Amino acid sequence: MSSRSFLIAFLFAASMLCFAYAGDGKWLMHVPDRDRTRINPYVSNADARAAGAKLFARHCAECHGSDAAGLHGHPALVSARIRHASDGELQWLLRNGSLRKGMPSWSSLPEQQRWQIITYLRELQQTTPQP
Ligand code: HEC
């Protein structure tokens, strides 16, 4: 193998690895319908948004970045996938995590706080141009 084709093969393998780390959205297939359609009681609620911002900085920013653009190979939360995911789907993921892929479960937080984080995420998505 020439060194050039080796380099191309290496870059290809490396990019596949990054892709795998950046999340594949498979968790979405596990969300039951009754969770998918749940309504966030704090949609557009300013107090919830402020509380959610603090919770996000404390619990989520270390992996997803303070602007949710993704960090160290952890997925962005301002992506098309997460913009299109329903609030109920996000609530399900936060409660259950995606443990084998490195996303912790946040079931120790009260449900109310998970909704607040989702409210804040929606604001971030609105104020961040789609990548
Ligand atoms: C220890 C690192 C870590 C922390 C802390 C963390 N996450 Fe994650 N998160 C991950 C990883 C890794 C994935 C990819 C999981 C997968 O692909 O199944 C992920 C996936 C996600 C996804 C789905 C992304 C996608 O594109 O499918 C959302 C939404 C999410 N996290 C939100 C949060 C929120 C909100 C918090 C704070 C409460 C948080 N995460 C804290 C590591 C973390």
Side-chain angles (χ1 to χ4, degrees):
M1 200 192 273
S2 75
S3 63
R4 189 155 171 272
S5 53
F6 178 79
L7 184 68
I8 289 169
F10 175 80
L11 289 177
F12 178 74
S15 67
M16 290 314 286
L17 202 65
C18 290
F19 185 72
Y21 267 102
D24 52 19
K26 287 209 175 113
W27 61 270
L28 277 162
M29 298 187 310
H30 301 291
V31 184
D33 282 344
R34 63 173 187 280
D35 287 285
R36 205 180 291 281
T37 52
R38 292 187 65 199
I39 305 289
N40 181 351
Y42 299 114
V43 171
S44 311
N45 176 309
D47 290 340
R49 202 153 51 213
K54 288 190 192 144
L55 291 163
F56 187 88
R58 190 176 314 148
H59 300 296
C60 320
E62 66 175 281
C63 286
H64 293 289
S66 52
D67 51 0
L71 203 63
H72 309 312
H74 298 112
L77 307 181
V78 290
S79 62
R81 176 162 56 231
I82 303 307
R83 284 169 200 258
H84 292 140
S86 69
D87 287 355
E89 286 168 328
L90 296 179
Q91 174 68 248
W92 181 90
L93 178 68
L94 293 186
R95 194 174 68 241
N96 293 284
S98 177
L99 303 178
R100 275 187 302 154
K101 302 224 172 105
M103 165 67 179
S105 154
W106 300 94
S107 60
S108 59
L109 295 180
E111 177 165 287
Q112 179 197 23
Q113 295 192 356
R114 296 194 300 261
W115 286 129
Q116 290 169 339
I117 293 171
I118 292 165
T119 302
Y120 173 65
L121 262 186
R122 293 308 187 201
E123 163 167 285
L124 269 185
Q125 291 168 352
Q126 274 163 23
T127 54
T128 310
Q130 190 151 350

PDB file of all heavy atoms in Angstrom, residues 38-43 45 87 91 111-112 115 119:
ATOM      1  N   ARG A  38     -45.050  13.263  25.321  1.00  0.00           N
ATOM      2  CA  ARG A  38     -45.251  14.041  26.553  1.00  0.00           C
ATOM      3  C   ARG A  38     -44.961  15.521  26.296  1.00  0.00           C
ATOM      4  O   ARG A  38     -44.106  15.879  25.502  1.00  0.00           O
ATOM      5  CB  ARG A  38     -44.336  13.522  27.667  1.00  0.00           C
ATOM      6  CG  ARG A  38     -44.737  12.123  28.134  1.00  0.00           C
ATOM      7  CD  ARG A  38     -43.936  11.711  29.337  1.00  0.00           C
ATOM      8  NE  ARG A  38     -44.254  12.568  30.469  1.00  0.00           N
ATOM      9  CZ  ARG A  38     -43.466  12.694  31.528  1.00  0.00           C
ATOM     10  NH1 ARG A  38     -42.322  12.053  31.597  1.00  0.00           N
ATOM     11  NH2 ARG A  38     -43.819  13.480  32.523  1.00  0.00           N
ATOM     12  N   ILE A  39     -45.713  16.368  27.018  1.00  0.00           N
ATOM     13  CA  ILE A  39     -45.606  17.821  26.817  1.00  0.00           C
ATOM     14  C   ILE A  39     -44.767  18.429  27.943  1.00  0.00           C
ATOM     15  O   ILE A  39     -45.000  18.137  29.119  1.00  0.00           O
ATOM     16  CB  ILE A  39     -47.026  18.463  26.844  1.00  0.00           C
ATOM     17  CG1 ILE A  39     -47.947  17.796  25.804  1.00  0.00           C
ATOM     18  CG2 ILE A  39     -46.938  19.964  26.629  1.00  0.00           C
ATOM     19  CD1 ILE A  39     -47.619  18.108  24.372  1.00  0.00           C
ATOM     20  N   ASN A  40     -43.829  19.287  27.582  1.00  0.00           N
ATOM     21  CA  ASN A  40     -43.035  20.011  28.580  1.00  0.00           C
ATOM     22  C   ASN A  40     -43.911  21.087  29.211  1.00  0.00           C
ATOM     23  O   ASN A  40     -44.383  21.998  28.520  1.00  0.00           O
ATOM     24  CB  ASN A  40     -41.824  20.653  27.866  1.00  0.00           C
ATOM     25  CG  ASN A  40     -40.915  21.411  28.823  1.00  0.00           C
ATOM     26  OD1 ASN A  40     -41.244  21.610  29.990  1.00  0.00           O
ATOM     27  ND2 ASN A  40     -39.779  21.842  28.303  1.00  0.00           N
ATOM     28  N   PRO A  41     -44.154  21.022  30.534  1.00  0.00           N
ATOM     29  CA  PRO A  41     -45.026  22.019  31.172  1.00  0.00           C
ATOM     30  C   PRO A  41     -44.403  23.414  31.203  1.00  0.00           C
ATOM     31  O   PRO A  41     -45.085  24.380  31.530  1.00  0.00           O
ATOM     32  CB  PRO A  41     -45.221  21.472  32.593  1.00  0.00           C
ATOM     33  CG  PRO A  41     -44.074  20.546  32.827  1.00  0.00           C
ATOM     34  CD  PRO A  41     -43.662  20.007  31.484  1.00  0.00           C
ATOM     35  N   TYR A  42     -43.113  23.519  30.860  1.00  0.00           N
ATOM     36  CA  TYR A  42     -42.418  24.817  30.973  1.00  0.00           C
ATOM     37  C   TYR A  42     -42.046  25.421  29.629  1.00  0.00           C
ATOM     38  O   TYR A  42     -41.121  26.228  29.563  1.00  0.00           O
ATOM     39  CB  TYR A  42     -41.136  24.652  31.787  1.00  0.00           C
ATOM     40  CG  TYR A  42     -41.365  24.172  33.189  1.00  0.00           C
ATOM     41  CD1 TYR A  42     -40.911  22.922  33.594  1.00  0.00           C
ATOM     42  CD2 TYR A  42     -42.032  24.967  34.111  1.00  0.00           C
ATOM     43  CE1 TYR A  42     -41.111  22.470  34.874  1.00  0.00           C
ATOM     44  CE2 TYR A  42     -42.239  24.521  35.409  1.00  0.00           C
ATOM     45  CZ  TYR A  42     -41.780  23.278  35.774  1.00  0.00           C
ATOM     46  OH  TYR A  42     -41.989  22.842  37.049  1.00  0.00           O
ATOM     47  N   VAL A  43     -42.742  25.044  28.567  1.00  0.00           N
ATOM     48  CA  VAL A  43     -42.382  25.590  27.251  1.00  0.00           C
ATOM     49  C   VAL A  43     -42.346  27.123  27.316  1.00  0.00           C
ATOM     50  O   VAL A  43     -43.295  27.738  27.804  1.00  0.00           O
ATOM     51  CB  VAL A  43     -43.406  25.134  26.180  1.00  0.00           C
ATOM     52  CG1 VAL A  43     -43.169  25.865  24.860  1.00  0.00           C
ATOM     53  CG2 VAL A  43     -43.310  23.633  25.958  1.00  0.00           C
ATOM     54  N   ASN A  45     -41.092  29.156  29.254  1.00  0.00           N
ATOM     55  CA  ASN A  45     -41.207  29.774  30.574  1.00  0.00           C
ATOM     56  C   ASN A  45     -39.848  30.361  30.973  1.00  0.00           C
ATOM     57  O   ASN A  45     -38.852  29.648  31.055  1.00  0.00           O
ATOM     58  CB  ASN A  45     -41.677  28.700  31.567  1.00  0.00           C
ATOM     59  CG  ASN A  45     -41.743  29.203  32.994  1.00  0.00           C
ATOM     60  OD1 ASN A  45     -40.800  29.777  33.515  1.00  0.00           O
ATOM     61  ND2 ASN A  45     -42.879  28.967  33.625  1.00  0.00           N
ATOM     62  N   ASP A  87     -39.778  17.180  22.885  1.00  0.00           N
ATOM     63  CA  ASP A  87     -39.429  17.381  24.303  1.00  0.00           C
ATOM     64  C   ASP A  87     -39.556  16.063  25.061  1.00  0.00           C
ATOM     65  O   ASP A  87     -38.743  15.761  25.934  1.00  0.00           O
ATOM     66  CB  ASP A  87     -40.363  18.425  24.940  1.00  0.00           C
ATOM     67  CG  ASP A  87     -40.040  19.847  24.469  1.00  0.00           C
ATOM     68  OD1 ASP A  87     -39.052  20.034  23.740  1.00  0.00           O
ATOM     69  OD2 ASP A  87     -40.796  20.767  24.845  1.00  0.00           O
ATOM     70  N   GLN A  91     -36.774  14.188  27.297  1.00  0.00           N
ATOM     71  CA  GLN A  91     -37.030  13.832  28.699  1.00  0.00           C
ATOM     72  C   GLN A  91     -36.715  12.349  28.929  1.00  0.00           C
ATOM     73  O   GLN A  91     -36.084  11.976  29.922  1.00  0.00           O
ATOM     74  CB  GLN A  91     -38.499  14.133  29.042  1.00  0.00           C
ATOM     75  CG  GLN A  91     -38.961  13.681  30.413  1.00  0.00           C
ATOM     76  CD  GLN A  91     -38.328  14.444  31.572  1.00  0.00           C
ATOM     77  OE1 GLN A  91     -37.546  13.887  32.338  1.00  0.00           O
ATOM     78  NE2 GLN A  91     -38.649  15.719  31.698  1.00  0.00           N
ATOM     79  N   GLU A 111     -37.827  15.411  37.971  1.00  0.00           N
ATOM     80  CA  GLU A 111     -38.308  15.541  36.593  1.00  0.00           C
ATOM     81  C   GLU A 111     -38.436  17.009  36.176  1.00  0.00           C
ATOM     82  O   GLU A 111     -38.106  17.392  35.050  1.00  0.00           O
ATOM     83  CB  GLU A 111     -39.657  14.833  36.448  1.00  0.00           C
ATOM     84  CG  GLU A 111     -40.231  15.011  35.049  1.00  0.00           C
ATOM     85  CD  GLU A 111     -41.357  14.047  34.771  1.00  0.00           C
ATOM     86  OE1 GLU A 111     -41.067  12.861  34.578  1.00  0.00           O
ATOM     87  OE2 GLU A 111     -42.515  14.492  34.757  1.00  0.00           O
ATOM     88  N   GLN A 112     -38.913  17.829  37.121  1.00  0.00           N
ATOM     89  CA  GLN A 112     -39.077  19.262  36.860  1.00  0.00           C
ATOM     90  C   GLN A 112     -37.764  19.875  36.358  1.00  0.00           C
ATOM     91  O   GLN A 112     -37.759  20.677  35.422  1.00  0.00           O
ATOM     92  CB  GLN A 112     -39.503  19.899  38.190  1.00  0.00           C
ATOM     93  CG  GLN A 112     -39.693  21.378  38.142  1.00  0.00           C
ATOM     94  CD  GLN A 112     -39.695  21.979  39.553  1.00  0.00           C
ATOM     95  OE1 GLN A 112     -39.163  21.401  40.502  1.00  0.00           O
ATOM     96  NE2 GLN A 112     -40.311  23.139  39.665  1.00  0.00           N
ATOM     97  N   TRP A 115     -37.101  18.986  32.748  1.00  0.00           N
ATOM     98  CA  TRP A 115     -37.891  19.827  31.823  1.00  0.00           C
ATOM     99  C   TRP A 115     -37.250  21.204  31.710  1.00  0.00           C
ATOM    100  O   TRP A 115     -37.220  21.804  30.628  1.00  0.00           O
ATOM    101  CB  TRP A 115     -39.334  19.977  32.308  1.00  0.00           C
ATOM    102  CG  TRP A 115     -40.249  18.800  32.147  1.00  0.00           C
ATOM    103  CD1 TRP A 115     -41.029  18.245  33.132  1.00  0.00           C
ATOM    104  CD2 TRP A 115     -40.556  18.054  30.949  1.00  0.00           C
ATOM    105  NE1 TRP A 115     -41.765  17.202  32.618  1.00  0.00           N
ATOM    106  CE2 TRP A 115     -41.505  17.069  31.293  1.00  0.00           C
ATOM    107  CE3 TRP A 115     -40.113  18.136  29.624  1.00  0.00           C
ATOM    108  CZ2 TRP A 115     -42.021  16.157  30.359  1.00  0.00           C
ATOM    109  CZ3 TRP A 115     -40.629  17.229  28.694  1.00  0.00           C
ATOM    110  CH2 TRP A 115     -41.564  16.266  29.069  1.00  0.00           C
ATOM    111  N   THR A 119     -36.128  23.131  28.344  1.00  0.00           N
ATOM    112  CA  THR A 119     -36.577  24.492  27.993  1.00  0.00           C
ATOM    113  C   THR A 119     -35.372  25.352  27.612  1.00  0.00           C
ATOM    114  O   THR A 119     -35.396  26.091  26.617  1.00  0.00           O
ATOM    115  CB  THR A 119     -37.333  25.124  29.180  1.00  0.00           C
ATOM    116  OG1 THR A 119     -38.437  24.280  29.513  1.00  0.00           O
ATOM    117  CG2 THR A 119     -37.845  26.521  28.845  1.00  0.00           C
TER     118      THR A 119
END
